Amino acid sequence: MQLERRATFVLGGARSGKSSFAEGLIEASGLDAVYLATGRAWDNEMSKRIAQHKQRRGGSWTTIEEPLDLVGVLQRECTGNRAVLVDCLTLWLTNLMMSEKDIETETARLVAVLPTFKGAVVLVSNEVGLGIVPENRMARDFRDHAGRLHQAVAAAAAQVYFVAAGLPLKMKG
Amino acid sequence: MQLERRATFVLGGARSGKSSFAEGLIEASGLDAVYLATGRAWDNEMSKRIAQHKQRRGGSWTTIEEPLDLVGVLQRECTGNRAVLVDCLTLWLTNLMMSEKDIETETARLVAVLPTFKGAVVLVSNEVGLGIVPENRMARDFRDHAGRLHQAVAAAAAQVYFVAAGLPLKMKG
Amino acid sequence: MQLERRATFVLGGARSGKSSFAEGLIEASGLDAVYLATGRAWDNEMSKRIAQHKQRRGGSWTTIEEPLDLVGVLQRECTGNRAVLVDCLTLWLTNLMMSEKDIETETARLVAVLPTFKGAVVLVSNEVGLGIVPENRMARDFRDHAGRLHQAVAAAAAQVYFVAAGLPLKMKG
């Protein structure tokens, strides 16, 4: 499971071990590791999660927090000797929706830049479409946007993994 | 991923690309394509989805709408030179439950006819059992029925695919 | 799909056929079959499910019901000529949470004993992390605990299967 200098997409459920798996890919690459956190510390629960992630990764990672301008940060950071972990796309999507951005446009922008980086990028996201249809309209919209985003990113990525119970299943590449 | 002249079952999450994948199987087959929509246009959201599906498929498909008598339509339409796309089983199940049909009987009828067609049939359905147990009793019943229906159809099908992020994973065949 | 004399983990959705698949593994092993039910008959719905499970397995199985002390029962029962089916870990987790046990400690205890048995053990569990984030705080905690438990058990198991629509997908082993 060597990391290619092209986009890798890691999809999995909540607490599936998808971030750890993605971190392992980057650490094994020998490239300079950058952690791009898209989550905002809205509440204590989220702050605790971000802290746990930092603790697990240790000191050799550079951490950047960016809720919205994922494309801009990737263009600046994903250079020759670096590998960037984007954790995660569903939080980025949440932020875009909260900020009333146009999701199709943002998805298209991301997908367009993915193949252009000199460095490696690993994008992590939550699969959210395998439960009962949510009663809440916004939740239905969210899972529709997430599903379309995942299809677009998977199509643009060189490698795609589905992670369950900490175990990766290669879907592409 | 050639289409066999036997039943193919395509299971996936919401917005997973399962319908597009199924359409691709049928278009690559060279058979006359029939789209069997089981969804009723209950509301604007559903009408919009049906219109999007029609637009994507283009003019070479024949479209039939049938909410309940899936078996009857398949027996009539799934003939020698045709490939029928059933989109989707979970909407059919919803309609059966709304009409207070006996789900076990209807499942058994469908499974019994699947191996008898001269034409090809591709059945698409939503996996709904991988989230938290729903609080709503009807939603719990629905996912129980869906799970049993999926097991029965998968057992009767020659090929089964699980689709995530637009990527197919072959489970059988 | 032969059963090893080491832990096997079977993960799947609701009504995915995971218990039937696990039962088949044990019946094909020729070992003396023990069914360890972790579910409590809280209500009629659960009592009906337990009865259906018993009916399907037939008379050759020994059935034990234990909601909390999974480790103790496994240590006592999982001996040389036996294969124990644990059905299921998510119900055990529910019972632990209801009894305000420390989940990390209980998970660590289970994982520590898994490689020590002379007999075979097959642990079944529900994947619950692939839907929309639940609004209910307890449901979010539950799926976090379940995800961590699944990662730990999968790491300790010799074989891991993911079951969908009655079809097993080997993830490990």
Side-chain angles (χ1 to χ4, degrees):
Chain A
M1 289 179 297
Q2 212 188 329
L3 189 62
E4 290 193 43
R5 291 279 181 119
R6 285 179 294 163
T8 298
F9 182 37
V10 177
L11 187 64
R15 306 285 113 197
S16 65
K18 57 194 186 304
S19 295
S20 300
F21 173 72
E23 287 167 25
L25 284 177
I26 285 185
E27 286 175 352
S29 73
L31 298 169
D32 296 340
V34 178
Y35 183 79
L36 202 172
T38 57
R40 273 169 168 161
W42 294 107
D43 55 24
N44 286 340
E45 214 177 324
M46 181 59 73
S47 303
K48 203 177 143 197
R49 285 185 180 218
I50 290 178
Q52 285 172 340
H53 272 274
K54 274 196 186 172
Q55 196 182 355
R56 192 175 64 211
R57 287 190 309 275
S60 63
W61 288 68
T62 304
T63 298
I64 298 169
E65 295 186 28
E66 174 52 54
L68 290 170
D69 187 19
L70 181 53
V71 170
V73 174
L74 283 175
Q75 284 180 313
R76 193 181 70 223
E77 299 290 337
C78 199
T79 55
N81 208 36
R82 283 186 183 168
V84 181
L85 172 54
V86 177
D87 194 9
C88 65
L89 291 182
T90 31
L91 289 174
W92 177 60
L93 179 59
T94 303
N95 298 335
L96 292 175
M97 287 177 75
M98 297 281 191
S99 306
E100 302 190 356
K101 299 281 183 186
D102 183 73
I103 309 300
E104 279 188 55
T105 305
E106 296 295 326
T107 299
R109 282 184 66 214
L110 175 63
V111 167
V113 297
L114 281 186
T116 67
F117 304 132
K118 299 283 186 203
V121 57
V122 181
L123 305 115
V124 172
S125 201
N126 263 67
E127 173 61 56
V128 297
L130 290 160
I132 282 288
V133 180
E135 289 178 28
N136 175 326
R137 169 70 193 254
M138 200 181 160
R140 283 203 304 280
D141 285 348
F142 178 78
R143 72 174 201 159
D144 283 354
H145 286 310
R148 285 192 209 100
L149 174 62
H150 294 162
Q151 286 186 53
V153 172
Q159 300 176 103
V160 180
Y161 295 94
F162 186 87
V163 177
L167 302 171
L169 183 73
K170 200 165 200 174
M171 301 283 291
K172 177 180 178 181
Chain B
M1 288 179 297
Q2 212 188 330
L3 189 62
E4 290 193 40
R5 290 279 182 118
R6 285 180 293 162
T8 298
F9 182 37
V10 177
L11 187 64
R15 307 284 114 198
S16 64
K18 57 193 186 304
S19 295
S20 299
F21 172 72
E23 287 165 25
L25 284 177
I26 286 184
E27 286 176 351
S29 73
L31 297 169
D32 296 339
V34 179
Y35 182 78
L36 202 170
T38 56
R40 274 169 168 160
W42 294 108
D43 54 24
N44 286 341
E45 214 176 324
M46 181 60 73
S47 304
K48 202 176 145 198
R49 284 183 182 221
I50 290 177
Q52 286 172 339
H53 271 273
K54 275 195 186 172
Q55 196 183 355
R56 192 176 62 211
R57 286 190 309 276
S60 63
W61 288 67
T62 303
T63 299
I64 297 170
E65 295 187 29
E66 174 52 54
L68 290 169
D69 187 19
L70 181 54
V71 170
V73 173
L74 283 174
Q75 285 180 313
R76 193 181 70 223
E77 300 290 338
C78 199
T79 55
N81 207 38
R82 284 187 183 167
V84 182
L85 172 54
V86 177
D87 193 11
C88 68
L89 290 182
T90 30
L91 289 174
W92 177 60
L93 179 59
T94 303
N95 298 335
L96 292 175
M97 287 177 75
M98 297 281 190
S99 305
E100 301 190 358
K101 300 281 182 186
D102 183 74
I103 310 300
E104 278 188 57
T105 306
E106 296 295 327
T107 300
R109 283 183 65 214
L110 175 64
V111 167
V113 298
L114 281 185
T116 68
F117 303 133
K118 300 283 185 203
V121 57
V122 181
L123 305 114
V124 172
S125 200
N126 262 68
E127 173 61 54
V128 296
L130 289 160
I132 282 287
V133 180
E135 289 177 29
N136 175 326
R137 169 69 193 254
M138 200 181 159
R140 284 203 303 282
D141 285 349
F142 179 78
R143 72 174 201 159
D144 283 355
H145 286 311
R148 285 192 209 101
L149 174 61
H150 295 162
Q151 286 185 54
V153 171
Q159 299 175 104
V160 180
Y161 295 94
F162 187 87
V163 177
L167 302 171
L169 183 73
K170 201 166 200 174
M171 301 284 290
K172 177 180 178 180
Chain C
M1 288 178 297
Q2 211 187 332
L3 189 62
E4 289 194 43
R5 290 280 181 117
R6 286 179 294 163
T8 298
F9 181 37
V10 177
L11 187 64
R15 306 283 113 198
S16 64
K18 58 193 184 306
S19 295
S20 300
F21 173 71
E23 288 166 25
L25 284 177
I26 285 185
E27 286 175 352
S29 73
L31 298 169
D32 295 340
V34 178
Y35 182 79
L36 202 170
T38 57
R40 274 168 168 162
W42 294 107
D43 54 24
N44 285 341
E45 214 177 324
M46 182 58 74
S47 303
K48 203 176 143 198
R49 284 185 181 220
I50 291 177
Q52 285 173 338
H53 271 274
K54 275 195 185 171
Q55 197 181 354
R56 192 176 63 213
R57 287 190 310 276
S60 64
W61 288 68
T62 303
T63 298
I64 297 169
E65 295 187 27
E66 173 53 53
L68 291 169
D69 188 18
L70 181 54
V71 170
V73 173
L74 283 174
Q75 285 179 314
R76 193 181 71 223
E77 300 290 337
C78 199
T79 55
N81 208 38
R82 283 186 183 167
V84 181
L85 172 53
V86 178
D87 193 10
C88 67
L89 291 182
T90 29
L91 290 174
W92 177 61
L93 179 60
T94 303
N95 298 335
L96 292 175
M97 286 177 75
M98 297 281 191
S99 306
E100 302 189 357
K101 300 281 182 185
D102 183 74
I103 309 299
E104 278 190 55
T105 306
E106 295 295 327
T107 299
R109 282 184 65 215
L110 175 63
V111 167
V113 298
L114 280 185
T116 68
F117 303 132
K118 300 284 184 202
V121 57
V122 181
L123 304 114
V124 172
S125 201
N126 263 67
E127 173 61 56
V128 295
L130 290 160
I132 282 287
V133 180
E135 289 177 30
N136 174 326
R137 169 70 192 254
M138 200 181 159
R140 284 202 304 281
D141 285 349
F142 178 78
R143 70 173 203 160
D144 283 354
H145 286 311
R148 286 192 209 101
L149 173 61
H150 295 162
Q151 287 186 52
V153 171
Q159 301 176 104
V160 180
Y161 294 95
F162 187 86
V163 177
L167 302 172
L169 183 73
K170 201 166 200 175
M171 302 282 292
K172 177 180 178 181

